[in-house]
Amino acid sequence: DNEHQCYWLRTVYELLRQHEQSKTTHLSSSASSESLDEFSSHMLSLLNSIFVTVVSNITEGIVKDLEAVLPLHRKLTWMQSSLIFVEITNKLQSLTHHYSDGLLQLQASFLPRTILFHFFKTIFSFVNSWLFNQLIRRKELCNFGMGLLLRLVFGQLEAWLLLHPVLHDEESS
């Protein structure tokens, strides 16, 4: 369950953050320093494991969502692609509502902004890789009509990202 995993993600993140802060303020012997470094290593491993699990759970549903939005099962001419723009726009609204609900769930877990940013960065990297693989495997998808549809889809996703500043990289803000 993502809700419980997000709770543990936040808890482990906070433990690790507190540990790192206390490490910088307290000088300790090399023996205790080694055990603290081992603790940090275990916490980082646990943090990574939970993060990967939550992202995997989320990306399972994303493939189904993308397959529902993109007509990857058929070759489209330019005229056909222009006729289904309205249909795809409605499906995209459903998809972005789904992403908004997921973001709200993650924010309700009080995850730090850094983790939220990395969640969505990882998810959109997955989308990019998945779509690239679809296009590489099936050359009939590489046409002007599909290009227009992909531009529509990614334009909508970019617009959704712009509406959620919490997902913007802190360095580029």
Side-chain angles (χ1 to χ4, degrees), residues 110-130:
F110 300 103
L111 290 173
R113 180 180 178 153
T114 304
I115 292 180
L116 288 175
F117 171 76
H118 284 289
F119 262 123
F120 279 88
K121 182 179 178 184
T122 303
I123 288 167
F124 283 112
S125 292
F126 169 80
V127 168
N128 185 32
S129 299
W130 178 83

Side-chain angles (χ1 to χ4, degrees), residues 75-83 143-146 148-149:
K75 183 178 178 179
L76 296 175
T77 65
W78 180 83
M79 183 60 89
Q80 290 170 324
S81 63
S82 63
L83 295 174
N143 60 54
F144 184 74
M146 184 57 71
L148 286 176
L149 289 174

Side-chain angles (χ1 to χ4, degrees), residues 54-79:
V54 173
V55 168
S56 295
N57 291 344
I58 292 170
T59 54
E60 284 176 11
I62 288 177
V63 169
K64 292 175 188 163
D65 293 341
L66 288 172
E67 287 174 341
V69 170
L70 295 171
L72 297 177
H73 57 280
R74 62 184 183 212
K75 183 178 178 179
L76 296 175
T77 65
W78 180 83
M79 183 60 89

Side-chain angles (χ1 to χ4, degrees), residues 3-28:
E3 188 175 334
H4 291 100
Q5 290 169 341
C6 287
Y7 166 79
W8 284 109
L9 186 65
R10 185 192 79 230
T11 302
V12 170
Y13 177 83
E14 285 300 318
L15 275 172
L16 190 59
R17 193 175 64 77
Q18 292 292 328
H19 171 68
E20 292 299 319
Q21 285 179 348
S22 68
K23 235 170 74 171
T24 59
T25 58
H26 296 58
L27 297 174
S28 56

